[in-house]
Amino acid sequence: MWLIIFAVLTAIAGYGLWQLFVKAGRKGWEAIVPFYSQYIQAKLTGRPTWWVILLLIPIVNIFVFYNLYLDFIHCFGKRRFWENAAAVLVPFMVLPMWAKDTNVRFLNGLYAKNLKTAAQEGVELTEEKLAEIEQASYKEYKIKYPYKKSMVREWADAIVFATVAASLIRGFLIEAYMIPTGSMERTLLIGDFLFVSKLNYGPRVPNTPIAFPFAHHTMPITGGKAYSELIELPYKRLPGFQKIERNDVVVFNFPAGDTVALENQNASYYDLVRAYGWQTVNSQFTIQARPIDKRENYIKRCVGLPGDKIAMKDAKLFINDQPGFDPPESQLNYYVLTDGTPLDMERLRELRIEGGGSDQQPGVYELYMTDDEVALVKSWSNVKEIRRSPAGEGAYPYDPQYKWDFDNFGPILIPKKGWTVALNAQTLPIYERAIRVYENNKLEKRTDGIYINDVKADNYTFKMDYFWMMGDNRHNSLDSRGWGFVPEDHIVGKALFTWMSWDEIGSGLTKIRWNRIFKGIH
């Protein structure tokens, strides 16, 4: 329902802008073509047309977009603060209204007057002549109706409106993300830029509403917190139009990111503690706690829903004792042994095969490959043997009684809201973090049993739904196998499609992957 409402309001706003373009002497369809619309707005308002290039630069594009948009609105005489605010916040109301109002004319009618004069004089209205009339009309308009705001004030207004509008859009409607790692290869590639919908599962009310615009948890350039904990709101999610479905590609806040070692964020705080001990980590690093909405954003596939039983057997996923989702281009880690001659690394890069060779063992490579790629590399003349690499020891819940790894673990039951679990030596390692950290309970193990909030308990009923997230690149993904369940209050949104994608081609150069632009995510 929310998505339908959003789509209808967007369509109404688009219709209003279409009609305003017609009033400005342009073709209506030009209003709804991305980039071209802004190019026309720049021409009509006397702004440099090269500004359109700035729309490709993140953050900068927001301010340029709204500056051009508000300049266009100003050309219809709508210059007051409330009119600018309405054009940004409720365009679906004011744009159609202004389009229907015969008193609202582009450049207060000067452009239409000059066009009529040119036609009466028999001037051929070529594209060049129209552009000349547009510019002349704009200059005449500026002289006849001088604008009291300075250039600084114009930009300040645009920045304020852009910040407010963009914050509302990215907080409650849709947000752009970039894929930085290969954990979802080949479904998603490093360098993919995605749009993620907040509406599908329902947008969250921010836990920390006081924050620096467009920054997540750290201030750009200067460092330090980009948010204030002066006001912290409880978890609340507005209604969405669907529930998370099995195998959706989901963006969520990293559950183990509640605590971070600022000087070493490549590994989670808990991994560091397991490796070096609590005392060492807390004495050598600056430790910081983060609220839920300021934890790192991760993107994975939701393979397990609340109440599911999940297991891995020899790198194969099982859900409720049935085979789970097997990515069509799933990659696993393999040792490749050659006859001593090196592999063609340029060819591997072209094939998007990640990994590399060993400095200590020439002719030994560790590569992430699909089944088809294994067959291809095996056919190379200098390859003697390929064998799958073990996943390595250790997996959630990192307890001696559970000797699991990323290829073999479980079965585990995923908690569901209202489900009651018996608390004992076997279940506590699996569910303790959810009970203590995610659901904010005081949990203690005493000599005579388990106590929750100072009350002895032999069971616990969960207050939230939980999910199991995994990367499609099964041997190169930090996911639920490493840190367990994802609570519902950590869910950010659903990945919809890639809007841009570029690939590094070496020497610091990149190229656009045109075949991935506007590609849906499944």
Side-chain angles (χ1 to χ4, degrees), residues 32-135:
I32 59 174
V33 179
F35 296 103
Y36 186 64
S37 175
Q38 285 70 50
Y39 171 76
I40 297 300
Q41 288 176 21
K43 287 183 62 178
L44 292 174
T45 59
R47 296 296 190 185
T49 52
W50 60 263
W51 277 18
V52 176
I53 299 173
L54 300 178
L55 294 170
L56 297 172
I57 304 174
I59 305 300
V60 173
N61 54 10
I62 297 172
F63 301 120
V64 171
F65 173 89
Y66 279 101
N67 191 283
L68 291 172
Y69 171 62
L70 291 176
D71 268 358
F72 180 67
I73 297 302
H74 295 162
C75 290
F76 290 90
K78 301 302 177 182
R79 298 184 170 190
R80 286 175 287 185
F81 182 86
W82 76 264
E83 291 171 327
N84 285 196
V88 170
L89 300 177
V90 287
F92 50 86
M93 293 177 59
V94 295
L95 296 188
M97 181 177 68
W98 293 337
K100 291 291 185 183
D101 190 343
T102 55
N103 293 319
V104 177
R105 295 176 295 169
F106 181 66
L107 297 178
N108 285 16
L110 288 174
Y111 178 62
K113 175 187 172 184
N114 291 336
L115 274 180
K116 184 178 180 181
T117 301
Q120 289 173 344
E121 294 175 352
V123 175
E124 184 181 357
L125 298 178
T126 62
E127 282 290 327
E128 292 77 10
K129 190 61 182 177
L130 286 173
E132 182 183 323
I133 294 172
E134 286 171 357
Q135 294 300 314

Side-chain angles (χ1 to χ4, degrees), residues 352-366:
R352 297 196 60 82
I353 296 177
E354 294 185 9
S358 169
D359 293 334
Q360 289 75 32
Q361 296 177 287
V364 178
Y365 294 80
E366 196 170 0

Side-chain angles (χ1 to χ4, degrees), residues 246-247 303-305 308-313 315-326 409 411-412 470 474:
R246 188 177 288 112
N247 302 325
V303 298
L305 299 177
D308 281 349
K309 180 171 70 171
I310 191 162
M312 290 283 289
K313 299 176 182 177
K316 295 295 183 182
L317 175 67
F318 289 85
I319 305 293
N320 301 323
D321 299 320
Q322 300 297 317
F325 180 79
D326 188 15
F409 72 84
I412 292 178
M470 288 176 58
R474 294 286 165 81

Side-chain angles (χ1 to χ4, degrees), residues 432-466:
E432 177 182 359
R433 180 170 174 82
I435 297 170
R436 181 171 50 83
V437 178
Y438 304 144
E439 305 210 348
N440 299 309
N441 294 290
K442 178 184 176 184
L443 188 150
E444 295 178 285
K445 290 175 279 187
R446 303 180 185 174
T447 55
D448 61 336
I450 298 169
Y451 283 74
I452 296 178
N453 300 323
D454 296 319
V455 177
K456 189 174 183 180
D458 57 8
N459 61 64
Y460 179 79
T461 301
F462 287 95
K463 303 171 187 174
M464 288 193 295
D465 284 331
Y466 291 80

